[in-house]
Amino acid sequence: METSASPKTILLITVPLLLLLGIAIAVKALWPAASCHSGPPQQVNIVFDKTKPYSATQAHSIDRTLVEMLTVAADNAEINLYYITSDPEHPSLVLNVCKPATRGNVFFNDVSEQQRQFRLSVVKKVKHFIDAHYQRSGAAPIIESLATIARQRIVTAKLEQHVDVQFDIYSDMVQDSKGKSLSGVPASCGPQDAATSRFRDTYGDVSQFFRDVPVHVYGIHREAAQWPRYPGERCVRAFWEPTFPHLTWMTI
């Protein structure tokens, strides 16, 4: 003959379970979320070249790759956006945001709301600040700008904490400064023919910084008919590949 549990037994089992569930919900609601500025699992540094124009097709590709990049970034990642302009000493940090959670336990999280917040607080802001239709034409001191960024505490502190730091660069990567210019038809596209010792030092500093840092270059393609001084992608890549040991290059 089967016997069923008494109401008292059921109550003794149910009450602790409900109590534990209530505690879990309260902790989830009240416990302050960790700030990505002090302990992020990842830091994504987007470096956007504002010295040259982009076509409508390239602007569309930039939007698409940005969404892909930001989507795969870790929850609570620190997202930084820098501008490269003709002033290498001031590559502007124009955006510094934390990626909100985009996934989690469906019993405690409204995943659709998390995704909405992600789109509003990160994706929309990054697209707004990039604005591929507004450029500041001028020289492109890319290496010098990267050297300045590499010295900033917001980046070096994360490397010291062994945070996963990556760089995503949107540019045609045509270095153009008083120290070294790839514009026109250079005698050599290698980094070794630097015009000045100061440039060689800067190049060496950048190479040293990126020895363990992954770099994703979204290379802007230039048509020779429209850009007669463009040295060609093969030349440009030959210049940069020794700088970034962990380089991924995508032409857009």
Side-chain angles (χ1 to χ4, degrees):
M1 179 177 179
E2 294 183 1
T3 58
S4 58
S6 68
K8 184 176 181 180
T9 303
I10 294 173
L11 189 64
L12 288 173
I13 296 173
T14 305
V15 169
L17 289 176
L18 291 174
L19 184 62
L20 288 173
L21 180 61
I23 292 173
I25 292 173
V27 168
K28 187 71 178 178
L30 301 175
W31 195 268
S35 169
C36 77
H37 304 305
S38 59
Q42 184 183 31
Q43 184 186 68
V44 177
N45 297 290
I46 304 169
V47 182
F48 192 74
D49 187 352
K50 280 283 187 180
T51 67
K52 300 290 190 302
Y54 300 92
S55 69
T57 301
Q58 288 165 344
H60 177 75
S61 295
I62 289 167
D63 278 354
R64 175 180 54 78
T65 55
L66 277 171
V67 172
E68 292 172 355
M69 174 209 312
L70 295 170
T71 299
V72 299
D75 286 353
N76 204 41
E78 183 176 56
I79 312 294
N80 298 324
L81 173 61
Y82 292 90
Y83 285 163
I84 288 181
T85 67
S86 57
D87 184 356
E89 296 301 319
H90 299 93
S92 306
L93 176 60
V94 295
L95 189 64
N96 170 239
V97 293
C98 298
K99 178 179 175 180
T102 55
R103 58 190 72 86
N105 191 316
V106 294
F107 294 106
F108 300 114
N109 304 101
D110 184 342
V111 177
S112 62
E113 175 61 19
Q114 289 176 324
Q115 293 286 349
R116 190 182 75 85
Q117 287 298 324
F118 165 59
R119 290 192 296 271
L120 288 175
S121 61
V122 177
V123 176
K124 187 175 180 179
K125 283 184 178 180
V126 170
K127 286 186 177 183
H128 169 74
F129 277 95
I130 278 185
D131 190 3
H133 304 288
Y134 176 67
Q135 305 303 332
R136 305 171 183 176
S137 296
I142 298 172
I143 281 185
E144 295 90 339
S145 299
L146 290 174
T148 301
I149 293 171
R151 293 192 295 268
Q152 293 187 352
R153 190 62 188 155
I154 192 173
V155 177
T156 59
K158 301 303 186 295
L159 289 171
E160 291 168 3
Q161 297 166 15
H162 304 290
V163 171
D164 173 18
V165 174
Q166 74 177 52
F167 277 75
D168 300 271
I169 304 175
Y170 287 86
S171 173
D172 62 8
M173 300 303 287
V174 178
Q175 166 71 26
D176 182 22
S177 70
K178 293 180 180 178
K180 171 74 174 178
S181 179
L182 296 183
S183 294
V185 184
S188 168
C189 278
Q192 67 278 0
D193 65 331
T196 65
S197 58
R198 179 181 177 184
F199 182 84
R200 284 194 294 272
D201 291 341
T202 303
Y203 180 87
D205 290 344
V206 172
S207 300
Q208 178 69 12
F209 174 81
F210 283 103
R211 69 189 187 278
D212 298 316
V213 177
V215 175
H216 311 286
V217 170
Y218 298 87
I220 307 301
H221 176 70
R222 302 297 183 189
E223 293 290 346
Q226 297 177 333
W227 299 89
R229 293 180 61 78
Y230 179 61
E233 184 178 313
R234 186 173 69 172
C235 172
V236 174
R237 290 185 64 163
F239 178 81
W240 287 103
E241 283 171 349
T243 314
F244 305 131
H246 307 283
L247 173 65
T248 302
W249 189 295
M250 176 189 296
T251 302
I252 59 176

